[in-house]
């Protein structure tokens, strides 16, 4: 897969693409990333890429000529072009999968200043927003989208890590813990030391349901509960420790840690 980012500020991406998962994916040639400077394409005799809006108004608007010529220099028949815009669909994990599985090379155009010339919209395939808030430019959004896609590419990270992350199955991720067992009298749940992986998986699903309902009711409302989920929700609402959990803890008692 190839991701091409059109920007006025290429230097903003130096650290992003030279660290962690992204760096390894590029080194393993799982993805090709290209940063193109829109400024290199301006025909303005003073080298400008922006100007005041026609008809008056505050701020500066990115001119259409440099953006469109920059886009045409990299676009192919296999390109899918997106423009980061508040008009666009709100980006989510589903879209990351769609882009990663599309077989298309992605071109991301980063706006800046007070906006871009309206005519640029005619040259893109899709408008995308990463949220309802204001940023200085589209560069952070381009990093967000690139990161979310690259981590899904086979070989970028362990496949099991992707499956269990928040949003992958429509729920927030279950709670995670590290040693020590007790920290400031706050202890890791005994079930996680039981050695009963079936019970642990069930407990984690229960906690994912509980957290999603509490913190992201919008996600929970769209999640399709199966029969097991319905039983787990009832256990949460009843406020009791179910027999399957107490049995798992009792049988695995020798693995349960005591206060340390």
């Amino acid at each position: 897969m190839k991701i091409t980012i059109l920007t006025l500020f290429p230097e903003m991406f130096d650290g992003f693409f030279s660290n962690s998962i992204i760096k390894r994916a590029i080194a393993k040639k799982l993805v090709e990333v290209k940063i193109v400077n829109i400024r290199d394409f301006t025909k303005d005799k003073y080298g400008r890429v922006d100007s005041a809006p026609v008809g008056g108004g505050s701020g500066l608007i990115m001119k259409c000529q440099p953006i469109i010529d920059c886009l045409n220099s990299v676009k192919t028949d296999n390109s899918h072009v997106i423009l980061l815009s508040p008009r666009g669909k709100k980006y989510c994990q589903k879209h990351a999968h769609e882009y990663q599985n599309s077989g298309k090379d992605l071109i991301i155009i980063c706006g800046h200043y007070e906006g871009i010339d309206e005519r640029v919209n005619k040259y893109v395939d899709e408008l995308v927003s990463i949220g309802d808030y204001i940023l200085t430019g589209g560069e952070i959004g381009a990093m967000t989208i690139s990161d979310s896609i690259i981590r899904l590419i086979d070989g970028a990270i362990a496949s099991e890590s992707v499956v269990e992350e928040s949003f992958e199955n429509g729920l927030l991720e279950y709670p995670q813990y590290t040693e020590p067992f007790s920290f400031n009298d706050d202890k890791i749940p005994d079930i996680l030391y039981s050695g009963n992986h079936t019970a642990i998986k069930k407990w984690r699903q229960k906690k994912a349901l509980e957290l999603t309902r509490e913190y992201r009711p919008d996600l929970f409302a769209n999640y399709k509960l199966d029969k097991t989920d319905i039983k787990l929700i009832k256990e949460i609402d009843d406020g009791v420790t179910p027999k399957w959990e107490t049995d798992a803890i009792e049988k695995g008692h020798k693995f349960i840690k005591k206060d340390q």
Side-chain angles (χ1 to χ4, degrees):
M1 182 179 189
K2 183 176 181 180
I3 299 175
T4 303
I5 299 173
L6 314 187
T7 175
L8 292 175
F9 301 96
E11 63 276 7
M12 289 184 67
F13 295 90
D14 291 347
F16 177 70
F17 288 116
S18 60
N19 284 282
S20 190
I21 293 169
I22 309 295
K23 179 181 180 180
R24 292 197 298 270
I26 294 172
K28 289 159 74 172
K29 300 188 184 304
L30 300 175
V31 63
E32 179 184 353
V33 179
K34 184 177 182 181
I35 309 298
V36 185
N37 193 338
I38 296 171
R39 294 180 190 276
D40 294 340
F41 293 84
T42 184
K43 294 180 179 179
D44 184 276
K45 63 180 180 180
Y46 300 108
R48 297 210 38 189
V49 293
D50 55 27
S51 65
V54 175
S58 62
L60 297 169
I61 305 298
M62 288 179 65
K63 301 168 76 171
C64 60
Q65 176 272 314
I67 298 175
I68 293 168
D69 284 357
C70 181
L71 174 61
N72 288 337
S73 75
V74 296
K75 187 177 180 181
T76 70
D77 291 339
N78 194 49
S79 297
H80 183 78
V81 184
I82 68 174
L83 172 65
L84 291 161
S85 167
R87 300 182 196 175
K89 68 182 184 184
K90 192 173 292 187
Y91 190 70
C92 67
Q93 188 68 7
K94 172 187 173 185
H95 302 133
H97 280 283
E98 289 174 351
Y99 292 145
Q100 195 270 319
N101 292 322
S102 69
K104 294 275 191 177
D105 293 326
L106 192 64
I107 299 176
I108 306 174
I109 303 176
C110 303
H112 217 82
Y113 307 123
E114 288 298 317
I116 65 169
D117 189 303
E118 179 69 22
R119 290 167 290 187
V120 173
N121 291 321
K122 298 176 183 178
Y123 292 80
V124 307
D125 298 308
E126 193 173 18
L127 301 178
V128 176
S129 169
I130 63 165
D132 297 336
Y133 43 84
I134 308 299
L135 295 173
T136 304
E139 286 74 19
I140 293 175
M143 294 179 197
T144 300
I145 292 172
S146 299
D147 185 284
S148 66
I149 294 170
I150 292 172
R151 64 187 297 106
L152 294 177
I153 298 173
D154 287 345
I157 60 176
S159 57
E160 60 270 20
S161 295
V162 173
V163 172
E164 295 187 352
E165 290 181 319
S166 290
F167 308 117
E168 280 298 332
N169 65 353
L171 298 173
L172 296 179
E173 190 175 10
Y174 50 78
Q176 301 271 32
Y177 298 88
T178 62
E179 299 285 359
F181 167 67
S182 180
F183 181 78
N184 290 343
D185 293 327
D186 192 1
K187 301 171 184 176
I188 296 174
D190 287 343
I191 186 70
L192 297 177
Y193 288 106
S194 69
N196 187 325
H197 295 292
T198 299
I200 291 172
K201 182 177 180 181
K202 196 171 183 178
W203 179 88
R204 285 174 166 170
Q205 176 68 4
K206 180 178 177 179
K207 287 299 180 180
L209 290 164
E210 184 177 23
L211 290 172
T212 305
R213 186 171 67 168
E214 179 179 357
Y215 291 101
R216 289 295 304 272
D218 56 323
L219 290 178
F220 188 79
N222 292 321
Y223 181 76
K224 293 183 179 179
L225 299 170
D226 60 22
K227 292 181 179 179
T228 299
D229 291 331
I230 292 171
K231 290 180 180 178
L232 293 174
I233 290 293
K234 188 176 186 307
E235 291 173 5
I236 295 169
D237 292 338
D238 290 344
V240 297
T241 302
K243 188 175 185 301
W244 59 264
E245 186 173 343
T246 54
D247 285 351
I249 292 172
E250 184 178 341
K251 290 179 181 178
H253 67 90
K254 63 182 177 180
F255 302 111
I256 307 298
K257 296 201 173 188
K258 305 301 180 182
D259 287 352
Q260 297 177 358

